[in-house]
Amino acid sequence: MKRTYYLFNPGRLSRKDNTLKFTPVDEEGQEGQPRYIPIETVDNLFVFGSLDTNSMMYNFLGKHQVAVHFFDYYEHYTGSFMPKDYLLSGKMQIAQMKHHIRQEKRMAIARSFIDGAAFNMLKNLRYYTNRGKDTRQQIERIEAYIPLIATATDIPMLMGIEGNIRQTYYEAFDTIIDGFSMGNRTKMPPSNEVNAMISFANSMCYSLCLDAIYHTQLNPTISFLHEPGERRYSLALDMAEIFKPILADRLIFSMFNRKQLRESDFDQHLNRCLLKQSSMKKVAGMGREDERDDKTPEVGKKCQLQAFD
């Protein structure tokens, strides 16, 4: 089974036969113990540290359909190396574009993204309400917003409804999470521990959605809910709306409430808060379904993740 590999430390990535060789390098330029990764086991790479490699390596990765996703010091997604499309379909792209430019077709698809996101948010809130966390007020308000989705006549109106739903949903985080307060949603930079985790987990979710789109005939730059723009894969933003509650938020709730994340896992600098490198490894490791022993509902199939220094 192919795996997702996370590269947190700065290092050098090279090829040795049909194996990837990752050599960590410290701040003084001293090399550490190399790690070897058989290429046939690699699904994609998530890079959080400085990576030294060359075009021959990217040719090798592209040949084996291995995508590489990059994140900056602040844990923001910055871009991806995507192999050459291997499922090209002009017919699909024409159909996708037609559905984008025709208002009624675009609105139908955009509504479905908001419907899916709201459904999963409510599922999370009901789950925790049944376990003694009273989120009934937020549930009622979101249920009141949902009928408005069908009445939206354009994308800005629909985005406004989505914003109200998500804001209401975020208000329940302080009730669900023990020992930490979220307050207002802050992004650039995150102002506290909960906001830092949301930003990190959402970036990971976006990257996973982009990776999934690559394995289809869809064009990731042609979206329906978010406006297509320069230098971004806006269809992945659309898809992430549905999956953030079940992939990102459940992980956030679980790790905070099980005391797997503490104040010491974060770096506070003036008005910003970031996960420490060791804590990012911890979060990545929790992506392994076989390591989870909480009672949150299972989502999808088991995935194997590997974090390397």
Side-chain angles (χ1 to χ4, degrees), residues 1-17:
M1 181 178 178
K2 289 194 173 184
R3 301 178 178 182
T4 293
Y5 287 83
Y6 295 86
L7 307 180
F8 290 99
N9 282 10
R12 183 176 301 108
L13 188 65
S14 57
R15 174 183 178 181
K16 184 176 177 61
D17 299 324

Side-chain angles (χ1 to χ4, degrees), residues 117-127 139 142-143 146:
F119 175 86
N120 287 326
M121 291 180 203
L122 286 175
K123 193 170 184 178
N124 283 351
L125 296 180
R126 290 176 180 137
Y127 173 84
I139 291 173
I142 291 176
E143 289 177 335
I146 288 177

Side-chain angles (χ1 to χ4, degrees), residues 34-218:
R35 307 291 183 90
Y36 296 92
I37 316 170
I39 190 64
E40 62 270 13
T41 69
V42 182
D43 186 20
N44 45 53
L45 299 173
F46 284 68
V47 180
F48 292 88
S50 300
L51 186 65
D52 180 14
T53 187
N54 55 38
S55 60
M56 291 181 64
M57 171 55 61
Y58 286 112
N59 287 333
F60 182 57
L61 294 172
K63 180 180 178 180
H64 289 84
Q65 282 80 50
V66 175
V68 186
H69 306 291
F70 297 94
F71 298 79
D72 65 14
Y73 171 79
Y74 299 103
E75 301 157 11
H76 299 144
Y77 169 81
T78 55
S80 297
F81 163 76
M82 302 299 292
K84 180 181 178 181
D85 291 336
Y86 68 102
L87 294 174
L88 287 173
S89 172
K91 185 176 181 180
M92 172 65 78
Q93 292 205 25
I94 291 171
Q96 189 177 349
M97 179 57 70
K98 285 181 177 179
H99 279 69
H100 171 83
I101 62 178
R102 294 179 181 175
Q103 177 75 359
E104 69 282 2
K105 291 183 179 293
R106 179 180 179 182
M107 287 297 296
I109 297 174
R111 290 190 188 102
S112 67
F113 286 122
I114 305 301
D115 279 329
F119 175 86
N120 287 326
M121 291 180 203
L122 286 175
K123 193 170 184 178
N124 283 351
L125 296 180
R126 290 176 180 137
Y127 173 84
Y128 282 99
T129 292
N130 291 336
R131 284 152 183 80
K133 310 276 189 176
D134 188 3
T135 63
R136 288 173 295 179
Q137 181 181 1
Q138 286 80 20
I139 291 173
E140 291 175 1
R141 287 165 58 192
I142 291 176
E143 289 177 335
Y145 283 127
I146 288 177
L148 300 179
I149 296 173
T151 67
T153 57
D154 55 31
I155 294 297
M157 185 182 298
L158 190 59
M159 290 293 286
I161 297 170
E162 186 275 336
N164 288 332
I165 291 174
R166 189 162 295 278
Q167 178 61 37
T168 303
Y169 175 63
Y170 280 146
E171 290 174 6
F173 276 41
D174 284 351
T175 300
I176 294 173
I177 297 173
D178 298 327
F180 291 87
S181 177
M182 173 185 171
N184 295 324
R185 176 73 179 108
T186 53
K187 302 178 182 179
M188 294 187 177
S191 60
N192 55 43
E193 296 86 353
V194 177
N195 275 291
M197 262 298 289
I198 293 173
S199 293
F200 179 72
N202 283 354
S203 292
M204 301 288 285
C205 182
Y206 169 82
S207 302
L208 288 171
C209 289
L210 175 60
D211 207 77
I213 293 171
Y214 168 72
H215 296 290
T216 72
Q217 295 176 331
L218 294 169

